[in-house]
Amino acid sequence: MKKLSIIVPCYNEEEVLPLFYEEITRVMAEMKRAHDELCFELLFVDDGSKDKTLEGLRALAKQDPQVRYISFSRNFGKEAGMFAGLQNSTGDYVVVMDADLQHPPSYLPQMYDYVRTGEYDCATTRRVNRTGESKVRSFFAMQFYKIMNRISQTEIVDGAQDFRFMTRQMVDAILDMHEYNRFSKGIFSWVGFRTKYIEIENVERAAGTTAWSFWSLFRYSLEGIFAFSTAPLSIAAFLGVFSCIISFILMIFVIIRTIFFGEPVAGFPSIMCAVFLLGGLQLFCTGVLGQYLAKTYLETKNRPIYLVRETETIQRGREQDN
Ligand code: UDP
Ligand code: MG
């Protein structure tokens, strides 16, 4: 028997949960018919939802023995949700996918075919267009991939999604990366392994709303840059050297001018400009340094990435006690 764990992080997904469950059970049945050796585990991670997601998961776990869930003590973010899922999965193969059907379960059989033969360790989808997304968002996303790939050694594929079909070996490699500041797109790529990209059209959410605002995406992209590149530090150093050279040239110029033409009193505005410019540059560079220091600070605290409040086994125990 080969077990396939399907990990689904959920945050306020009560509306799509029944739709997702219906679709995934259909696909699982289809895969079972084609490959008798397969068995499944559906592992939902409730990321501190404020709606009825957890109630929905409890009900599903009761009626379907394939369903397991982990519920966090609060919202820890999707990255923590994926990590918890990977850590608690028991399958020989592991899939990570969104609950909102933007990652169509119908691709699973095809992904399995790529990984099963051993030719690939991972199959993932890559969206080739961004229809249904605002122009501004697409523009910034494109700029992010451009900058990121220029300054980081880790390649981040444009349009790559967190919809991944992986072997146990690759999952274990990912779990070996315990970092607190997690940027999955970078982590998936950093561990390497052979990845098959399946190109798909952008799919819109089946129901509910996205939890990502423009600013949360912006912060997430900075997170990615600071986690997978030290280029901002080099930029800071470069700016420092650059302004030193400029001021050195200016100094020579001023000395020579004073020798030949004396010292005129004028020049206050230009001095102010230089003072402000240098002050700004210094603050900017200190800020960049501060970012890395802050990340290092959080990493050294070694806090857990997520905290569990309930799982299907804990819930069963509680029910028996009552
Ligand atoms: N999600 C999560 N925790 C969060 C935000 C989102 O577990 O804090 C889940 C969400 O339930 C969904 C997936 O991550 O299954 C992707 O989120 P969403 O659809 O809101 O993002 P988008 O598809 O717009 O990037
Ligand atoms: Mg979505």
Side-chain angles (χ1 to χ4, degrees), residues 8-13 16 45-49 72 75-82 97-103 127 133 137 162 203 205 209-212 217:
V8 191
C10 307
Y11 179 56
N12 296 344
E13 301 285 14
V16 283
V45 184
D46 165 42
D47 187 9
S49 298
F72 287 174
N75 181 251
F76 278 89
K78 186 187 173 185
E79 292 291 340
M82 291 199 287
M97 66 196 298
D98 286 1
D100 56 9
L101 293 175
Q102 277 186 309
H103 298 162
R127 51 181 181 172
E133 198 183 61
R137 217 175 236 228
D162 294 339
V203 186
R205 224 173 203 289
T209 48
T210 171
W212 295 88
L217 275 180

Side-chain angles (χ1 to χ4, degrees), residues 5-11 13 16-17 20-21 24 41-47 53 57 68-70 78 81-82 84-86 94-101 103 105 108 162:
S5 300
I6 301 172
I7 296 166
V8 191
C10 307
Y11 179 56
E13 301 285 14
V16 283
L17 207 57
F20 176 80
Y21 180 69
I24 198 80
E41 165 184 73
L42 250 180
L43 178 53
F44 291 95
V45 184
D46 165 42
D47 187 9
T53 305
L57 293 179
R68 291 175 57 206
Y69 68 86
I70 301 168
K78 186 187 173 185
M82 291 199 287
L86 294 177
V94 178
V95 174
V96 184
M97 66 196 298
D98 286 1
D100 56 9
L101 293 175
H103 298 162
L108 289 178
D162 294 339

Side-chain angles (χ1 to χ4, degrees), residues 198-266:
I198 303 168
E199 304 202 335
I200 68 167
E201 298 277 314
N202 193 28
V203 186
E204 288 191 46
R205 224 173 203 289
T209 48
T210 171
W212 295 88
S213 68
F214 180 78
W215 283 113
S216 62
L217 275 180
F218 185 71
R219 278 204 307 272
Y220 184 62
S221 60
L222 286 184
E223 188 87 14
I225 290 177
F226 287 121
F228 278 90
S229 164
T230 47
L233 286 174
S234 319
I235 294 173
F238 171 78
L239 281 176
V241 172
F242 185 71
S243 48
C244 278
I245 294 174
I246 294 284
S247 62
F248 197 69
I249 294 173
L250 271 175
M251 219 157 68
I252 293 173
F253 172 74
V254 169
I255 291 171
I256 293 178
R257 197 180 61 172
T258 314
I259 292 172
F260 287 101
F261 303 101
E263 175 66 60
V265 187

